[in-house]
Amino acid sequence: MSIFKYRVQAIFISILFTLISCSKEKTSSPTLSSSEISNNQHPSLIITKAGVEKIRANLGSIPIFDETLEKVKAEIDAEIALGIEVPIPKDYSGGYTHSRHKRNWQTLQKAGVLYQILDDEKYAKYVKDMLMEYEEMYKTLPVHPKTRSYARGKLFWQCLNDSNWLVYVSQAYDCIYNYLSKEERNKLETNLFRPFADYISVENPQFYNRVHNHSTWGNAAVGMIGLVMNDSVLIDRALFGIKGAELDKTAKDNDGGFINKDGKAGFLANIEEPFSPDGYYNEGPYYQRYAMYPFLVFAEGLNNVKPEYKIFDYKEGVLLKSINALLNLTDADGDFFPLNDGQKGMSYYTSALVTAVDISYKYGNKDPGLLSIAKEQNRVLLDDSGLAVALGIKNGETKPFNKKSINLADGPKGTQGGVGVLRNEDIELVFKYAAQGSSHGHYDKLSYSLYEKGEEVLQDYGLARFVNIEQKGGGNYLKENKTWAKQTIAHNTVTQNETSHFEGKYEIGSKHHSILHYFSSENENVHVVSAKEDNAYPGTEMLRTMAIIKDEDFEKPYLLDIMKITSSKANQYDFPFYFFGQVLAANFEYNTPKTLKALGSKNGYQHLYLEGSAKPKNNNTKFSWLNKGKFYSLTSVANTNDEILFTRIGANDPDFNLRREAALMLRRKNTKNTTFVSIIEAHGNYSPVTESAVNSNSSIKELKVVIDTIDYTAVTITNEDGKTKLFITSNINASKDAEHILKINDTNYQWTGTYYFK
């Protein structure tokens, strides 16, 4: 049966129970036939009855599973010894009651799994006793006292965390379902689980009926408890949203994004809309990581309880495909690239990615590369998918997960820009030309960040938030996330007239996306991505071409960056490079002010101190720095009217919410059409132990633009030995089959494709 045929059947069932209504919809306790809900065995969500038998049969012979089991057992035994605590909620994220309830949902889920695997009644009793305490409290629990959220929860300050709780606790309930008496189950379902599911859905449609990572958690929570309780109304609501709910299409959430402008809702819509066919999630990898847990555990529950849905095949298997995309959006250390709102340091070692890797392995094509990630994570899920991974590792099936240059399209149909990742040896470039990215998006078209061996060379700031640290704004987003982190000047891209892209307005930015010009990674020595943006500033078109080039005349691959700007009027262009480390040398003289002042008054400029200024002395601006024992150099083609500014984040930040980090900024005033051309070199090393510096100087003697027309931009790169290389990019014709002939200094250059390098 297809998912859409099921929808018709589910609607018919719902009519029979007279439960189709608008946001006042409530659930009853329907009795379903075996044809409506398949085998009612428990457990059946992420761990199954058959899986338990297989796990028990293999215990003691599957090292990674056995070690995980011992660690979890010790953790939960310690929690049981401490006793049960279910405090009255009162705190924001990071506060005691918030953290305790969060700890409880994790403990309940793990204790339920331990009961199934170890067949030890103490774990079932612990889960039952805690659930009964929640049942007693929830019956009279008011809305959470903290009022910041657009959708306040009861256990937590926002419905999002209430949904987290129910996703995990549904699994615990599934594990002890048969341990409980019929009367106990009825008590929990009547007083806790159904009211809980109703509260986060029909009583908060602004949270539930939307396409967003928040509602994905809500959909999964309602659907998973529905699967455990055999409630077709809840399952239908999870898949398709609240029927008849009318929401204000202009309403926004706390992050400034529209709540339900397009009227789409439900778990399936949350698969259809945010994911591109390549598996890229429009909010970025940080929030994809967060959303993958509910996506995958609910999908696994659907697969186990309702296999006829074929949920892992939905939208051509995009849920499983997205795991490969997500893993490719990590640096050499496994940290996610901080595109849009993203906390640095979040990595595939997080528990959500353990879930993602294990489920993807079991229900996907058994990719042996995933086993190498699982070995690095050094733990597995204590369920059927974790067992599959453990057996794969035990049987010697592990192969490396090779991350290569990759282009990931954005948008439901892959037509809304994307993200290009270029990799060559230890150098990684992340180039963003995607759509806005929902309410977590930044105004940073054609921005990038650069890495060497997992270390940031040129950074994307990420988010302005201390997640779950109560002292900093209750652990929530700080005002500086909007005034700084989202603004264009906080990124390595062009800001025009000190105004952010789309005026920093979500209403405008959400309508537009950049366009891929071309992506090429066939040549192992030259990987290129090129994209254009013509909506960020009306009347201005930006075309950025970035190449990672492995050249035998250079120690390491280098980044060539060509930003071509065409405008209908003269503007000021600011072009920053957010570097880490200590300044070594520059080929220009700069002045440092006696008193630090902000560079501007708005659009992020109010948070930048001006620490120095200069004018170029020749046709190339050269600047070098040292960071973590490695040398880096920036060479830029200079205009004699340019200004060079040293800036540092931290102005107008009395609470020290922002990191005090530096940038070198190129400023070009009163200019219509222009092209910024730069090279970033990674070279040499320094040892504080031997106190020796190796190859500490740039290898570039001259960087020169030799042709810059509507059709082509050509750049020569001459090293200190006098060897010159030529790079030409086609600005108009991006066909891989196009044949080009270009005359430069009386020499004809001929090639097929999008670029030329020799």
Side-chain angles (χ1 to χ4, degrees):
M1 182 188 299
S2 74
I3 199 84
F4 297 103
K5 289 181 179 178
Y6 172 76
R7 184 177 190 183
V8 174
Q9 181 192 58
I11 292 173
F12 176 71
I13 293 170
S14 300
I15 292 173
L16 291 178
F17 288 107
T18 64
L19 290 171
I20 297 181
S21 63
C22 60
S23 63
K24 297 298 183 182
E25 174 194 16
K26 297 285 183 175
T27 58
S28 64
S29 181
T31 302
L32 303 176
S33 68
S34 59
S35 64
E36 292 164 344
I37 296 291
S38 62
N39 198 339
N40 188 25
Q41 291 184 341
H42 296 276
S44 58
L45 292 179
I46 68 161
I47 189 170
T48 64
K49 187 175 181 180
V52 169
E53 294 175 359
K54 191 172 182 181
I55 288 169
R56 290 177 180 175
N58 282 277
L59 286 180
S61 66
I62 39 175
I64 194 170
F65 194 101
D66 294 334
E67 291 168 10
T68 303
L69 179 62
E70 285 303 310
K71 291 176 183 177
V72 172
K73 182 179 183 301
E75 174 191 345
I76 301 307
D77 285 348
E79 284 290 329
I80 293 175
L82 288 173
I84 294 171
E85 185 178 6
V86 182
I88 298 297
K90 65 176 183 178
D91 300 314
Y92 278 127
S93 303
Y96 179 75
T97 62
H98 180 101
S99 298
R100 184 64 257 177
H101 289 297
K102 182 176 179 180
R103 181 65 184 161
N104 284 350
W105 86 48
Q106 296 167 338
T107 303
L108 284 167
Q109 189 271 339
K110 292 175 181 178
V113 170
L114 289 178
Y115 168 63
Q116 286 295 328
I117 294 175
L118 301 177
D119 196 22
D120 187 335
E121 188 174 315
K122 77 173 183 180
Y123 299 110
K125 183 178 184 303
Y126 177 76
V127 173
K128 183 188 82 169
D129 290 347
M130 189 184 294
L131 289 180
M132 288 301 176
E133 291 204 25
Y134 273 109
E135 181 271 340
E136 181 64 27
M137 180 177 70
Y138 199 82
K139 287 186 295 188
T140 58
L141 195 64
V143 176
H144 197 280
K146 297 296 186 183
T147 60
R148 178 182 294 179
S149 177
Y150 76 105
R152 290 157 65 191
K154 287 191 172 185
L155 288 180
F156 300 90
W157 68 279
Q158 56 178 346
C159 280
L160 172 61
N161 299 112
D162 280 35
S163 300
N164 296 162
W165 186 91
L166 189 56
V167 165
Y168 282 83
V169 172
S170 296
Q171 299 170 51
Y173 184 46
D174 179 46
C175 286
I176 70 159
Y177 189 93
N178 292 330
Y179 172 80
L180 300 170
S181 67
K182 183 177 180 181
E183 291 74 21
E184 289 169 333
R185 292 196 297 268
N186 183 65
K187 184 178 182 180
L188 289 172
E189 293 178 10
T190 301
N191 298 330
L192 178 61
F193 293 134
R194 283 197 173 85
F196 202 114
D198 281 338
Y199 181 77
I200 62 175
S201 56
V202 294
E203 294 185 36
N204 281 279
Q206 79 280 14
F207 161 78
Y208 191 82
N209 250 41
R210 62 184 305 202
V211 172
H212 195 274
N213 75 78
H214 286 192
S215 52
T216 297
W217 277 96
N219 302 154
V222 171
M224 290 179 72
I225 198 64
L227 288 173
V228 181
M229 299 190 304
N230 293 347
D231 190 325
S232 66
V233 175
L234 291 181
I235 296 170
D236 183 67
R237 189 189 299 166
L239 292 173
F240 307 108
I242 305 164
K243 300 176 179 66
E246 294 293 335
L247 298 177
D248 180 358
K249 296 188 182 302
T250 65
K252 295 182 179 180
D253 61 18
N254 299 109
D255 298 314
F258 289 113
I259 287 175
N260 194 336
K261 187 177 181 181
D262 299 322
K264 297 176 181 178
F267 188 70
L268 297 183
N270 272 287
I271 297 175
E272 292 163 3
E273 293 299 313
F275 287 104
S276 76
D278 290 335
Y280 179 76
Y281 186 72
N282 72 345
E283 294 182 43
Y286 180 76
Y287 276 97
Q288 181 179 352
R289 169 274 325 172
Y290 180 62
M292 286 320 298
Y293 186 82
F295 271 124
L296 292 174
V297 293
F298 183 34
E300 186 173 27
L302 285 167
N303 184 80
N304 290 335
V305 180
K306 296 289 293 179
E308 63 268 29
Y309 286 179
K310 297 183 178 179
I311 190 65
F312 285 121
D313 294 330
Y314 192 74
K315 194 178 177 179
E316 299 184 352
V318 74
L319 281 182
L320 298 179
K321 189 185 298 183
S322 71
I323 306 307
N324 182 72
L326 185 55
L327 291 173
N328 268 290
L329 289 171
T330 63
D331 65 23
D333 295 329
D335 290 353
F336 295 113
F337 300 131
L339 302 170
N340 295 328
D341 285 341
Q343 175 161 258
K344 293 184 178 182
M346 177 56 70
S347 73
Y348 61 50
Y349 294 101
T350 184
S351 59
L353 264 293
V354 174
T355 299
V357 167
D358 290 6
I359 290 178
S360 181
Y361 179 79
K362 177 174 172 58
Y363 296 99
N365 59 2
K366 300 292 191 298
D367 178 4
L370 293 174
L371 298 180
S372 66
I373 302 292
K375 286 184 71 174
E376 289 184 43
Q377 293 169 333
N378 198 31
R379 64 192 192 278
V380 294
L381 297 177
L382 297 179
D383 62 14
D384 304 29
S385 59
L387 176 64
V389 168
L391 289 173
I393 293 173
K394 174 189 174 182
N395 295 333
E397 298 168 5
T398 304
K399 292 184 179 180
F401 185 90
N402 292 320
K403 290 184 284 189
K404 300 179 180 179
S405 293
I406 188 171
N407 188 57
L408 299 169
D410 192 8
K413 297 182 180 179
T415 57
Q416 297 179 10
V419 172
V421 182
L422 303 184
R423 293 182 167 101
N424 204 321
E425 293 185 350
D426 295 325
I427 304 299
E428 294 176 307
L429 169 78
V430 188
F431 179 58
K432 183 187 174 196
Y433 63 98
Q436 183 61 30
S438 189
S439 58
H440 288 295
H442 290 190
Y443 302 98
D444 61 338
K445 298 304 181 188
L446 309 188
S447 68
Y448 77 100
S449 51
L450 186 67
Y451 294 76
E452 181 181 12
K453 289 186 177 180
E455 296 288 350
E456 292 175 294
V457 178
L458 294 173
Q459 70 151 335
D460 184 307
Y461 186 87
L463 53 71
R465 179 185 181 186
F466 293 76
V467 182
N468 287 327
I469 299 177
E470 186 180 24
Q471 298 93 320
K472 285 291 192 179
N476 304 313
Y477 280 99
L478 300 164
K479 67 181 186 301
E480 289 82 8
N481 200 58
K482 294 180 179 179
T483 62
W484 167 251
K486 285 178 177 282
Q487 299 296 328
T488 304
I489 196 60
H491 303 83
N492 298 307
T493 188
V494 166
T495 300
Q496 179 175 296
N497 299 328
E498 298 188 24
T499 302
S500 287
H501 297 169
F502 311 113
E503 301 175 33
K505 295 179 180 178
Y506 179 80
E507 295 89 337
I508 303 173
S510 61
K511 296 178 182 178
H512 303 290
H513 58 83
S514 303
I515 299 172
L516 178 67
H517 186 47
Y518 67 87
F519 178 89
S520 176
S521 61
E522 293 83 5
N523 183 335
E524 65 177 0
N525 294 323
V526 184
H527 296 181
V528 189
V529 61
S530 181
K532 63 181 65 176
E533 171 58 49
D534 55 11
N535 292 298
Y537 300 111
T540 297
E541 179 184 283
M542 297 182 288
L543 172 63
R544 192 168 204 171
T545 302
M546 308 196 81
I548 298 292
I549 299 174
K550 182 181 178 180
D551 186 334
E552 61 185 8
D553 296 323
F554 289 77
E555 177 190 357
K556 302 176 184 179
Y558 57 82
L559 167 64
L560 172 62
D561 176 17
I562 303 172
M563 173 71 93
K564 184 177 179 63
I565 302 171
T566 306
S567 185
S568 59
K569 62 183 181 67
N571 302 288
Q572 173 183 298
Y573 304 113
D574 289 337
F575 198 85
F577 299 85
Y578 284 93
F579 68 93
F580 285 109
Q582 295 173 280
V583 175
L584 288 185
N587 71 342
F588 49 84
E589 296 179 358
Y590 48 87
N591 299 312
T592 56
K594 293 181 179 180
T595 303
L596 295 180
K597 295 181 180 180
L599 189 59
S601 61
K602 57 185 179 180
N603 301 325
Y605 282 78
Q606 73 274 27
H607 292 303
L608 285 175
Y609 282 121
L610 177 62
E611 292 191 331
S613 60
K615 299 285 288 185
K617 294 181 66 176
N618 50 48
N619 292 331
N620 278 177
T621 292
K622 294 187 74 69
F623 171 71
S624 298
W625 68 96
L626 171 67
N627 187 47
K628 296 186 177 180
K630 299 183 182 72
F631 297 105
Y632 301 97
S633 292
L634 163 69
T635 303
S636 293
V637 176
N639 183 315
T640 55
N641 294 321
D642 286 352
E643 295 178 26
I644 305 168
L645 308 178
F646 285 97
T647 67
R648 188 171 301 275
I649 305 164
N652 293 299
D653 181 29
D655 296 323
F656 293 90
N657 287 334
L658 298 173
R659 304 188 303 268
R660 269 47 179 169
E661 293 163 347
L664 182 77
M665 184 185 299
L666 305 181
R667 171 168 283 181
R668 196 163 290 171
K669 293 181 176 180
N670 195 29
T671 304
K672 285 181 62 176
N673 304 330
T674 193
T675 301
F676 289 91
V677 178
S678 303
I679 282 181
I680 304 292
E681 297 171 85
H683 55 91
N685 60 81
Y686 177 77
S687 170
V689 176
T690 62
E691 297 182 326
S692 61
V694 178
N695 195 19
S696 62
N697 293 307
S698 165
S699 296
I700 293 178
K701 182 178 182 180
E702 183 183 36
L703 180 64
K704 185 177 181 180
V705 178
V706 292
I707 288 289
D708 192 20
T709 66
I710 293 175
D711 295 310
Y712 302 101
T713 298
V715 176
T716 56
I717 306 156
T718 303
N719 70 3
E720 291 291 348
D721 293 332
K723 296 180 180 178
T724 299
K725 296 293 176 65
L726 174 66
F727 182 92
I728 309 171
T729 181
S730 173
N731 296 328
I732 301 297
N733 191 340
S735 171
K736 292 184 178 180
D737 300 322
E739 295 185 356
H740 304 270
I741 299 178
L742 181 64
K743 189 173 185 179
I744 303 175
N745 296 330
D746 297 326
T747 300
N748 286 324
Y749 295 91
Q750 185 172 351
W751 75 97
T752 301
T754 51
Y755 72 90
Y756 171 94
F757 178 75
K758 192 171 182 180

